[in-house]
C-alpha cells in the first residue's frame, strides 16, 4: 500500500503542472463549441430583443441598477459569442457609414454639451443598444431575425393584454408602477407594459408587420399566425395612438406599392420606381396642405397641440446652438435646458416628441442630417431589395423602416432602446445585402482571364 501511494504521489508531482497548464485550455475547449453554437446565438438574440423592448417593465421590477447589470451581462455574452464565431462572420463593409457618422457625432457632442457627464453616459447607453443590434444582424439571417422578433413580441403583447384585462376588468384598478391606467373596459386607450399608448401602438404595429411576414413565409403554423395578427391588430386599435394609425396607413400603401413593383419586369422596374417616387412627393405635398383637416379626422388635435407647444419652446433654445446642438442625452435628464422647457410647457417630458426634432435639438443640424441619412439610406436599400428579391422576407426590413420613418415625426422611439436597436438591425441587414462598397469593389475587379493593372 505504501509503495502504491508513493507511486501515485510521484505521478501527481510529475503530471500536476501539466494538468494545471492544460486546465484553461480544457475549459476553453469545452466553452468554445457552446459559445459558437447557433442555439447560444438564438438565445442571446431573443434576450436582447426582450431587454430592449420590455425596458420599462424590467426597470419597474428591478430598477436601473438591475437593468444596467443585465444589459452589461448580455453585451459581455454577445461579445463572447462574436469572438467564438469570428471566422464565420463576413466583416467587409459590414457597418453602414451612416451609423458610424451618427454615433461619432453624438460622441463628439460631449465636448460642447451643456451636461457633459450625462452626455457621456447616454452615449455609452446608445452604443450598447447599437452593439446588440449589430450582433443580431451579424449572427442571424433575415428570416431568423423575423422569427426572433415575432416570438418576443408575441409574449410582450400577450402579457400586456393579460395585465390590461386584470387591471381594467377583473380588479378595476390601475397598476401604477407599470403605467397601466386600466381603461380596457372603455376600449382604451391602453398602455400595456410599455407605460404609454404611443409606445404600445408602435410596438404593436412592428409586431403586426412581423406576424404577417411570418404568415406569408410559413415560418409558423397558420393558427398561431392568425392569432398573432389578431392580437397585434387589437393592440393597435386599443392603443388609440394617432401616430400609429398614420404609420399603419403608410405601411399599407408601401405594401401595396411593393406588391406591384415585385410583379413588374426587372427592365422596367426603375421607371415605376421613379413614378412611385414622384407620386409619393405629390401625395406628401397634398397631405401637408390639408394637414389641419387630416389632424381633425384622426382626432389628434390635442396631441398635435402638445407637440406644437413643445417644439415652440425648443425653438427658443435651439437658436443658441443650431449647428452642434446642446449635446446628446437621449431621454431628457432633469437638467437645464430640458427642465426649463418642461416648466414652460407645463408638463413632464422625456423627449421632444419627435426623433427628428430631438436629434436637431441635441446634436444640431449635422446630427439631424446624419440621422435622416441613416434612415433614408437604409430605407432606400431595403426598398430596392424588397422590390427586386423574390423572397417575401425582404419585405420586413422595408416595411419596418417605413414605420420607423413615419413614427419618428411624432415620437422619439427610434432614438431609444428597442426602437434604436431595431433601426440598427434593419440598417445593417440592408447594408450587408446591398453595399455600395461591394459594388465598387466588383467594378474594380478585373474580368476573368484578364491581367490586373499593375
Amino acid at each position: 500500500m505504501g509503495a502504491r501511494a508513493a507511486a501515485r504521489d510521484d505521478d501527481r508531482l510529475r503530471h500536476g503542472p501539466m494538468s494545471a497548464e492544460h486546465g484553461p485550455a480544457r475549459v476553453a475547449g469545452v466553452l468554445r463549441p457552446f459559445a459558437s453554437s447557433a442555439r447560444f446565438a438564438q438565445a442571446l438574440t431573443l434576450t436582447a430583443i426582450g431587454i430592449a423592448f420590455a425596458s420599462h417593465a424590467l426597470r419597474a421590477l428591478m430598477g436601473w441598477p438591475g437593468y444596467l447589470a443585465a444589459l452589461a451581462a448580455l453585451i459581455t455574452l454577445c461579445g463572447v459569442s462574436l469572438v467564438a464565431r469570428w471566422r464565420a462572420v463576413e466583416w467587409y463593409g459590414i457597418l453602414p457609414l451612416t451609423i458610424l457618422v451618427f454615433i461619432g457625432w453624438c460622441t463628439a457632442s460631449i465636448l460642447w454639451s451643456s451636461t457633459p457627464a450625462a452626455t457621456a453616459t447616454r452615449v455609452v447607453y446608445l452604443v450598447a443598444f447599437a452593439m446588440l443590434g449589430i450582433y443580431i444582424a451579424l449572427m442571424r439571417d433575415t428570416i431568423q431575425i423575423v422569427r426572433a422578433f415575432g416570438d418576443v413580441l408575441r409574449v410582450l403583447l400577450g402579457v400586456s393584454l393579460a395585465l390590461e384585462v386584470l387591471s381594467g376588468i377583473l380588479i378595476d384598478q390601475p397598476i401604477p408602477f407599470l403605467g397601466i391606467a386600466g381603461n380596457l373596459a372603455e376600449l382604451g386607450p391602453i398602455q400595456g407594459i410599455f407605460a404609454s399608448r404611443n409606445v404600445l401602438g408602435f410596438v404593436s404595429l412592428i409586431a403586426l408587420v412581423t406576424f404577417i411576414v411570418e404568415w406569408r413565409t410559413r415560418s409558423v403554423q397558420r393558427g398561431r399566425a392568425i392569432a398573432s395578427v389578431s392580437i397585434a391588430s387589437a393592440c393597435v386599435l386599443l392603443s388609440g395612438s394617432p401616430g400609429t394609425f398614420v404609420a399603419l396607413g403608410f405601411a399599407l400603401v408601401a405594401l401595396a406599392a411593393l406588391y406591384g413593383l415585385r410583379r413588374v419586369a426587372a427592365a422596367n422596374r426603375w421607371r415605376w420606381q421613379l413614378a412611385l417616387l414622384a407620386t409619393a412627393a405629390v401625395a406628401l405635398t397634398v397631405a401637408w396642405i390639408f394637414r389641419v383637416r387630416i389632424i381633425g379626422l384622426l382626432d389628434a388635435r390635442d396631441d398635435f397641440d402638445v407637440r406644437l407647444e413643445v417644439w415652440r419652446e425648443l425653438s427658443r433654445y435651439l437658436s443658441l446652438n443650431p449647428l452642434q446642438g446642446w449635446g446628446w442625452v437621449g431621454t431628457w435628464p432633469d437638467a437645464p435646458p430640458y427642465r426649463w422647457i418642461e416648466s414652460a410647457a407645463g408638463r413632464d417630458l422625456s423627449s421632444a416628441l419627435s426623433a427628428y426634432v430631438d436629434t436637431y435639438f441635441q446634436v444640431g443640424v449635422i446630427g439631424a442630417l446624419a440621422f435622416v441619412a441613416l434612415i433614408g439610406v437604409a430605407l432606400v436599400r431595403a426598398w430596392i431589395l424588397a422590390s427586386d428579391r423574390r423572397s417575401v422576407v425582404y419585405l420586413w426590413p422595408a416595411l419596418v423602416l417605413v414605420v420607423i420613418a413615419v413614427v419618428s415625426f411624432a415620437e422619439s422611439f427610434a432614438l431609444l432602446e428597442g426602437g434604436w436597436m431595431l433601426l440598427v438591425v434593419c440598417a445593417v441587414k440592408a447594408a450587408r445585402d446591398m453595399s455600395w462598397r461591394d459594388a465598387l469593389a466588383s467594378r474594380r475587379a478585373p474580368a476573368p482571364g484578364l491581367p490586373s493593372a499593375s
Side-chain angles (χ1 to χ4, degrees), residues 237-274:
L237 295 175
L238 291 172
S239 70
S241 172
T244 300
F245 296 152
V246 173
L248 175 60
F250 273 87
L252 291 175
V253 172
L255 180 60
L258 288 171
Y259 181 83
L261 287 172
R262 289 164 66 88
R263 279 153 181 77
V264 174
N268 299 323
R269 192 170 292 147
W270 68 273
R271 296 186 179 90
W272 286 95
Q273 295 275 26
L274 293 177

Side-chain angles (χ1 to χ4, degrees), residues 85-389:
R85 306 186 68 178
W86 189 270
R87 295 182 180 178
V89 178
E90 298 177 3
W91 291 101
Y92 179 76
I94 207 64
L95 288 180
L97 290 179
T98 49
I99 293 179
L100 298 177
V101 170
F102 179 69
I103 293 179
W105 185 252
C106 290
T107 304
S109 70
I110 298 173
L111 300 175
W112 60 79
S113 173
S114 60
T115 54
T119 297
T121 55
R122 305 300 177 88
V123 166
V124 172
Y125 197 64
L126 181 78
V127 172
F129 283 98
M131 291 173 62
L132 293 180
I134 292 169
Y135 174 84
I136 293 172
L138 293 182
M139 293 293 105
R140 315 299 288 169
D141 57 31
T142 306
I143 187 60
Q144 291 172 332
I145 292 174
V146 171
R147 284 296 312 276
F149 273 91
D151 290 342
V152 174
L153 295 183
R154 249 187 299 274
V155 173
L156 297 183
L157 294 185
V159 171
S160 294
L161 281 181
L163 290 174
E164 288 287 350
V165 170
L166 174 66
S167 174
I169 297 177
L170 297 182
I171 64 175
D172 195 20
Q173 292 289 332
I175 306 177
F177 81 99
L178 287 176
I180 296 176
N183 297 327
L184 183 60
E186 291 80 25
L187 298 181
I190 65 173
Q191 303 80 29
I193 61 172
F194 305 100
S196 165
R197 66 171 183 166
N198 294 319
V199 180
L200 173 64
F202 171 73
V203 174
S204 301
L205 185 52
I206 295 297
L208 181 60
V209 171
T210 304
F211 297 153
I212 291 174
V213 172
E214 279 186 326
W215 190 354
R216 295 299 299 164
T217 56
R218 299 178 182 176
S219 302
V220 296
Q221 296 179 351
R222 189 169 182 268
R224 172 181 279 192
I226 294 175
S228 301
V229 170
S230 301
I231 291 174
S233 301
C235 288
V236 168
L237 295 175
L238 291 172
S239 70
S241 172
T244 300
F245 296 152
V246 173
L248 175 60
F250 273 87
L252 291 175
V253 172
L255 180 60
L258 288 171
Y259 181 83
L261 287 172
R262 289 164 66 88
R263 279 153 181 77
V264 174
N268 299 323
R269 192 170 292 147
W270 68 273
R271 296 186 179 90
W272 286 95
Q273 295 275 26
L274 293 177
L276 182 63
L277 181 62
T279 303
V282 172
L284 290 174
T285 303
V286 172
W288 175 256
I289 294 173
F290 294 99
R291 63 188 182 279
V292 176
R293 183 170 298 180
I294 293 173
I295 291 170
L297 291 174
L298 292 171
D299 193 22
R301 168 60 64 184
D302 292 341
D303 287 351
F304 181 75
D305 288 343
V306 169
R307 282 159 176 76
L308 197 60
E309 182 181 359
V310 172
W311 297 340
R312 188 181 296 114
E313 292 297 329
L314 282 171
S315 65
R316 299 180 181 180
Y317 298 94
L318 187 57
S319 60
L320 301 176
N321 299 306
L323 184 63
Q324 75 275 20
W326 287 83
W328 176 260
V329 291
T331 303
W332 285 9
D334 185 19
Y338 307 99
R339 186 189 304 149
W340 302 335
I341 296 171
E342 290 179 349
S343 177
R347 62 183 67 246
D348 293 332
L349 298 168
S350 60
S351 71
L353 302 177
S354 169
Y356 303 117
V357 175
D358 244 332
T359 52
Y360 185 23
F361 186 78
Q362 295 183 28
V363 285
V365 174
I366 297 176
L369 291 176
F371 181 70
V372 171
L374 169 57
I375 294 182
V377 172
L379 179 56
V380 169
R381 284 170 167 166
W383 185 272
I384 294 175
L385 288 169
S387 58
D388 289 348
R389 301 289 178 89

Side-chain angles (χ1 to χ4, degrees), residues 31-49 74 77-85 88-89 132 134-141 144-145 148 152:
L31 292 180
R32 188 177 293 111
F34 173 75
S36 62
S37 66
R39 284 182 176 272
F40 188 55
Q42 179 187 17
L44 292 177
T45 298
L46 294 172
T47 305
I49 298 171
L74 176 62
L77 292 175
C78 288
V80 171
S81 174
L82 191 60
V83 170
R85 306 186 68 178
V89 178
L132 293 180
I134 292 169
Y135 174 84
I136 293 172
L138 293 182
M139 293 293 105
R140 315 299 288 169
D141 57 31
Q144 291 172 332
I145 292 174
V152 174

Side-chain angles (χ1 to χ4, degrees), residues 20-80:
E21 221 173 81
H22 286 276
R26 289 179 180 177
V27 173
V30 173
L31 292 180
R32 188 177 293 111
F34 173 75
S36 62
S37 66
R39 284 182 176 272
F40 188 55
Q42 179 187 17
L44 292 177
T45 298
L46 294 172
T47 305
I49 298 171
I51 282 182
F53 279 88
S55 56
H56 169 74
L58 293 174
R59 285 195 297 268
L61 293 172
M62 64 178 67
W64 271 105
Y67 184 76
L68 293 177
L71 181 62
L74 176 62
I75 292 176
T76 302
L77 292 175
C78 288
V80 171

